[in-house]
Amino acid sequence: MWNIESLDLDAYLARIGHDRVAPSPEALRSLHRAHVLAIPFENIDVILGTHPGISLEAIQAKLVGRQRGGYCYEHALLFGAALEQLGFDVVRRVARVQPHKAGPRTHALLKVGVAGEEFLADVGFGAGQLYPTPLKDGVVVDQAGWDHRLTQDGDVWTLSKQTPEGWIPQHASNDEPVRPIDYEVYHHYVSTHPHSPFTGRPVVMRVAEGEVRRLVGNTLTTEHPNTPPTERSVPPADLPEVLASLDVVLSDEEIDRLRLV
């Protein structure tokens, strides 16, 4: 159903700088971290109107071949295919973003089984999740310096982030079956609807241990744990340098079109 055999696993592993490994919880944690550190979260092709779609072939050509980034559908489908080829059990999920508000059910993530344990693998949630989260009620995972907690209510699992204002829900998901056509529909909304957060301005996010960087529109925000974030405006002339610092390298033509946006 998910066409995982079309993925060139060796090329993907080279992209994230990781060896081929046997399935284990430790291997999942290492692969998850390597993927997030190597492949940016970004929506530039959506802004430019050149998004190639979310077939695994298109995702591989973009994120692996062109060494670009993408958003949740691209990340989740690529990572899920790699995990399945390596021998992990993978279930595709959809989550409702900001479930305590009017958030849409449009986020793609994975449930991964290995060695009798289950985890949420969430490599495409912006700059939020560096590591997989054990699927256990009340578990807290340090994600690069920010605590995240997973809680269960019936069949719904909610991921929350610890903030000065308390635990803020990030997304909620369950095991309702997901088909490729569902991801296509959600991708179409996210990449075309005028109310989507990804159609009106560039969004590029990177996470490392103790640091999160976000370019949203023309504002670059840098965060470290337990300190106020810093912001700076990015003029059009600085776009190539700032994007490159976030591991997004565009052609001159793409930069010119992005400046117009």
Side-chain angles (χ1 to χ4, degrees):
M1 179 188 298
W2 297 98
N3 194 29
I4 67 166
E5 65 280 354
S6 68
L7 174 67
D8 183 339
L9 180 60
D10 289 332
Y12 167 77
L13 292 173
R15 170 75 166 105
I16 68 171
H18 203 288
D19 294 332
R20 188 182 287 255
V21 289
S24 71
E26 295 75 22
L28 175 61
R29 180 177 173 89
S30 179
L31 288 161
H32 195 292
R33 182 179 188 274
H35 179 110
V36 173
L37 292 179
I39 305 180
F41 181 97
E42 52 111 331
N43 72 330
I44 301 301
D45 282 357
V46 171
I47 297 299
L48 298 181
T50 57
H51 199 287
I54 59 170
S55 70
L56 192 54
E57 293 86 351
I59 295 168
Q60 180 174 216
K62 179 185 174 187
L63 275 65
V64 177
R66 293 169 55 201
Q67 298 203 349
R68 282 282 303 279
Y71 56 10
C72 63
Y73 309 105
E74 296 161 288
H75 281 277
L77 288 169
L78 181 64
F79 193 55
L83 291 180
E84 283 198 286
Q85 283 202 24
L86 287 168
F88 293 86
D89 294 325
V90 177
V91 176
R92 280 80 178 169
R93 277 187 166 190
V94 175
R96 184 174 301 283
V97 180
Q98 295 185 328
H100 59 307
K101 297 182 179 180
R105 189 174 180 267
T106 54
H107 174 57
L109 70 164
L110 309 171
K111 183 176 79 170
V112 181
V114 58
E117 299 183 62
E118 292 183 323
F119 299 84
L120 284 187
D122 199 2
V123 292
F125 194 60
Q129 305 296 296
L130 190 55
Y131 301 105
T133 300
L135 201 64
K136 298 176 181 178
D137 186 27
V139 70
V140 175
V141 175
D142 180 343
Q143 298 286 1
W146 289 266
D147 282 345
H148 286 70
R149 183 180 68 186
L150 193 63
T151 55
Q152 182 181 17
D153 182 8
D155 69 338
V156 176
W157 294 85
T158 299
L159 182 74
S160 300
K161 180 180 180 180
Q162 178 72 73
T163 74
E165 292 74 38
W167 291 101
I168 303 298
Q170 304 296 291
H171 60 61
S173 63
N174 61 12
D175 275 336
E176 182 177 344
V178 176
R179 299 179 180 180
I181 187 61
D182 298 322
Y183 275 12
E184 291 282 356
V185 171
Y186 302 142
H187 159 67
H188 179 70
Y189 168 83
V190 169
S191 63
T192 64
H193 197 281
H195 292 166
S196 166
F198 299 121
T199 56
R201 56 188 179 178
V203 178
V204 183
M205 303 187 187
R206 302 297 281 132
V207 60
E209 294 289 356
E211 182 179 74
V212 168
R213 293 173 294 154
R214 297 182 178 90
L215 176 67
V216 180
N218 65 349
T219 301
L220 179 65
T221 302
T222 302
E223 295 185 48
H224 299 98
N226 304 313
T227 59
T230 61
E231 295 183 353
R232 78 174 180 94
S233 180
V234 178
D238 291 350
L239 260 179
E241 177 185 354
V242 170
L243 287 171
S245 75
L246 298 169
D247 304 311
V248 178
V249 179
L250 304 179
S251 68
D252 291 342
E253 187 267 341
E254 288 171 326
I255 287 290
D256 289 342
R257 292 178 58 203
L258 190 59
R259 284 172 173 154
L260 290 176
V261 173

